[in-house]
Each structure stands twice: as C-alpha cells, then as structure tokens.
Amino acid sequence: AQSVAQPEDQVNVAEGNPLTVKCTYSVSGNPYLFWYVQYPNRGLQFLLKYITGDNLVKGSYGFEAEFNKSQTSFHLKKPSALVSDSALYFCASRFSAYNNNDMRFGAGTRLTVKP
Amino acid sequence: DGGITQSPKYLFRKEGQNVTLSCEQNLNHDAMYWYRQDPGQGLRLIYYSQIVNDFQKGDIAEGYSVSREKKESFPLTVTSAQKNPTAFYLCASSIRAGGDEQFFGPGTRLTVL
C-alpha cells in the first residue's frame, strides 16, 4: 500500500545551522510529493512540491527538497535555520493525477530551532 | 491560510449532539476536502468533493456527513454516531482533482464535553 514515513518525531538544530527533515515514500509508479508546515493551532501551509523534472525543488521561506528515486526519499532542507522555522512539518504524497482520495500524510516532524 | 475560512475556531459539543463545521473558499477551486488531525498522527481524509453536488467518502467517513450545494462551500456535520469526535478538523481545497497542492483553512478544534 502507498505510504509516507517521517522517521523522526523531533529534530533540533541551532539557529544558523543547516536543517534536514526526512521523508520516505512507498509506492509503485511516480509519486507527487509535497511538504507542508503547520504552526500551532493553524492550518497547513504549502512549502513546495515535486511533480516531475528537476530533482531539486525550491520552495517558500528558503526551503528546498531533493527527490531521490533510488532511495525513495524527499528530504526537506534549509541551509541556515531560523528560530521562526520552529513548527510541525508534514510530508505528503499522492499517486494519481485524477483521484482526490489518495493523498497520504506522514505523521509529522516537530522542528525546534534554538537561538 | 489563503482564501479558505473555517468557523468556528473552537467548538464544544455535548455527547449526543450533532454539530456543523463551516468551510468557505473564494479561490474558485473545484475540489474540496475535510481532514481530521489527531496528536502524533498525520491527517486522515474524511470526505472530499471534486465538483458541486458530488462528494465521496474518504478513509474515516463513519459518523460524518457533508454537502456541496455551492462551489465555495463544503460544510461538515459531525454526528452523534462519531464515537471519538474530539480532534482538530481541517478543510482544504485544490484547483482540480489531481496532483495539485491543497490549500488549507485555519482549522476548527472540536471538543466533546
């Protein structure tokens, strides 16, 4: 069955250091991959997506993600973390261009950036 | 949170009561969705709608109902049949069915007393 996994519940980094939030997927075929961020008691905000093309995708707020088909991964990265990046991050994937019911979300990774 | 609004932000319900959560979008999106979020879990799809007057069950539709009488509105009713309704409910929309990103509303936190 198609699924998305975020292997880390929590990631802690110091401000100014690079950050990585990991995501792996399990699917047959070509997935559409997304990253969202959620601040406390708020909805999810879209950061970036991979549909096709260049494996390195750039998104909002300086975030980027690299699609790696051989490792079935789509890790979120940022070269220099900010305290304001502290939030809950969700990886998501879908596997059809036509259905609405196949979006799968990871359990989320809480990122804490310390000053 | 874009052009999607949800109301109320907080909702308290007594056991045995039905409650309706509002979701409105002004993005002219065809598709709309309802998700449930519980602590430590990803989002789970309750219902979705690809077009006006049409909607389909998601993974956890039992105890919930929806309607889509207008393109911009997709209200969710949590019925008394839902055994564990306390959760954070998120409404989303996308331009169309398919591989597009979804845009989310600010959410409604429902607590059953």
Side-chain angles (χ1 to χ4, degrees):
Chain A
Q2 58 195 39
S3 63
V4 176
Q6 294 180 243
E8 301 162 316
D9 294 334
Q10 176 89 32
V11 171
N12 298 314
V13 298
E15 187 175 29
N17 283 1
L19 69 87
T20 299
V21 183
K22 295 180 180 178
C23 173
T24 60
Y25 65 91
S26 174
V27 64
S28 56
N30 296 318
Y32 302 91
L33 297 163
F34 306 85
W35 275 102
Y36 290 87
V37 60
Q38 185 180 34
Y39 297 98
N41 293 312
R42 302 293 298 276
L44 277 65
Q45 295 179 30
F46 169 74
L47 284 178
L48 51 80
K49 66 180 177 182
Y50 173 82
I51 302 297
T52 186
D54 194 348
N55 289 345
L56 183 63
V57 179
K58 294 187 182 297
S60 305
Y61 313 118
F63 285 94
E64 59 187 28
E66 185 170 11
F67 172 65
N68 189 318
K69 189 170 185 177
S70 63
Q71 297 185 4
T72 62
S73 67
F74 190 57
H75 301 332
L76 182 70
K77 299 182 179 183
K78 187 173 183 180
S80 179
L82 300 173
V83 173
S84 58
D85 292 330
S86 299
L88 187 58
Y89 290 81
F90 289 98
C91 180
S93 64
R94 63 185 310 170
F95 308 96
S96 167
Y98 306 105
N99 292 329
N100 283 45
N101 64 337
D102 67 342
M103 181 78 89
R104 291 292 180 263
F105 287 84
T109 298
R110 186 163 300 281
L111 173 67
T112 301
V113 182
K114 297 183 178 179
Chain B
D1 299 321
I4 302 178
T5 58
Q6 292 185 241
S7 62
K9 187 172 183 178
Y10 299 97
L11 186 57
F12 298 90
R13 190 193 92 174
K14 294 181 180 179
E15 286 196 22
Q17 286 183 334
N18 293 353
V19 290
T20 297
L21 283 58
S22 170
C23 177
E24 303 278 332
Q25 55 100 358
N26 62 3
L27 301 170
N28 200 32
H29 285 176
D30 286 331
M32 296 186 74
Y33 315 79
W34 274 105
Y35 291 93
R36 171 180 171 139
Q37 183 179 14
D38 295 284
Q41 298 189 36
L43 280 65
R44 293 182 290 169
L45 183 65
I46 304 172
Y47 268 97
Y48 65 98
S49 169
Q50 295 183 338
I51 198 169
V52 176
N53 292 322
D54 180 72
F55 50 83
Q56 304 295 330
K57 293 181 179 180
D59 298 325
I60 56 165
E62 185 176 353
Y64 301 97
S65 66
V66 294
S67 64
R68 186 86 187 275
E69 298 177 0
K70 298 185 295 183
K71 187 175 185 177
E72 59 270 23
S73 179
F74 191 41
L76 173 74
T77 296
V78 184
T79 74
S80 57
Q82 169 51 235
K83 298 305 179 186
N84 185 23
T86 295
F88 191 51
Y89 290 87
L90 289 163
C91 179
S93 70
S94 62
I95 293 174
R96 57 183 179 272
D100 295 297
E101 64 269 30
Q102 296 177 9
F103 295 86
F104 285 81
T108 293
R109 185 166 299 281
L110 173 63
T111 302
V112 174
L113 303 174

